Amino acid sequence: ARGGLDLAFVMLPVADGPFDWQHLWTGEYVVMTAADSPLADGRPSLEDVARLPLIGYRNIRRALRLEEHLRAMGLNPQVVFRTDDNGTLQRLVGVGMGAALVPTLAVEPNDPAVRVLHAFDGLPPFLVGIAWHAERTLEAPEQAFVETARDVCRTFTGAPTGVSPASARAVRR
């Protein structure tokens, strides 16, 4: 908002402020459990997950919105520890302190200490975008960076679907 950054990767929707943005990636939420958890080889429901001790994020507003979403579904997530460091979160899950409901983007792959369980109906998608100050005209290097980010994200997610009106003008001119 102060104009100190040219571009920033953000969770969508963006916070209130003078921002234009483009959607880059849509992911799903997964549950991480310890590899030796009784749920590790099954397919727990969201109700099962909400009853587990959970490791959650502290300051990531999109994750906190996910907890609010669960409460609106009548579930009461039992968060026992919060951190904003993905590695710390995954290590705590791996040693059995709790499970975690996280976006796929936050999971370090090939960790033998954890199991990742997919496909939970009823959860909102996890959306990542790129944002900039709305009063800033993106110059050629910034436009190229945005296009490269979109191209890379298309290789594993398909074409972005959400574009702010001003960003369409700024990047596609």
Side-chain angles (χ1 to χ4, degrees):
R2 293 185 302 246
L5 297 175
D6 294 329
L7 299 164
F9 290 102
V10 296
M11 290 176 287
L12 298 176
V14 295
D16 291 336
F19 307 113
D20 281 336
W21 56 271
Q22 282 203 11
H23 171 255
L24 295 176
W25 183 79
T26 299
E28 67 176 339
Y29 284 95
V30 296
V31 172
M32 269 195 294
T33 67
D36 60 357
S37 165
L39 298 178
D41 292 322
R43 188 171 168 133
S45 67
L46 281 176
E47 291 80 9
D48 295 331
V49 173
R51 285 190 290 269
L52 296 173
L54 295 174
I55 313 297
Y57 290 110
R58 183 179 51 213
N59 292 319
I60 299 177
R61 67 184 171 81
R62 183 77 172 155
L64 295 176
R65 260 195 240 148
L66 177 62
E67 290 175 25
E68 292 170 9
H69 183 82
L70 292 172
R71 285 187 191 94
M73 295 173 66
L75 304 175
N76 187 23
Q78 305 297 312
V79 179
V80 296
F81 189 82
R82 292 187 183 277
T83 179
D84 286 335
D85 182 82
N86 291 333
T88 298
L89 185 143
Q90 187 158 334
R91 296 318 171 272
L92 291 172
V93 168
V95 298
M97 185 173 173
L101 188 58
V102 297
T104 53
L105 189 63
V107 177
E108 180 183 319
N110 305 317
D111 182 347
V114 301
R115 293 289 183 272
V116 178
L117 311 172
H118 293 270
F120 288 92
D121 294 331
L123 291 181
F126 183 81
L127 306 172
V128 175
I130 192 164
W132 57 91
H133 198 285
E135 295 175 4
R136 179 185 174 95
T137 300
L138 295 183
E139 301 298 328
E142 290 96 355
Q143 289 182 31
F145 185 87
V146 170
E147 287 302 319
T148 299
R150 292 181 75 217
D151 290 345
V152 168
C153 288
R154 272 192 205 106
T155 66
F156 55 90
T157 64
T161 57
V163 178
S164 71
S167 69
R169 290 191 307 276
V171 175
R172 294 208 169 106
R173 40 180 174 133

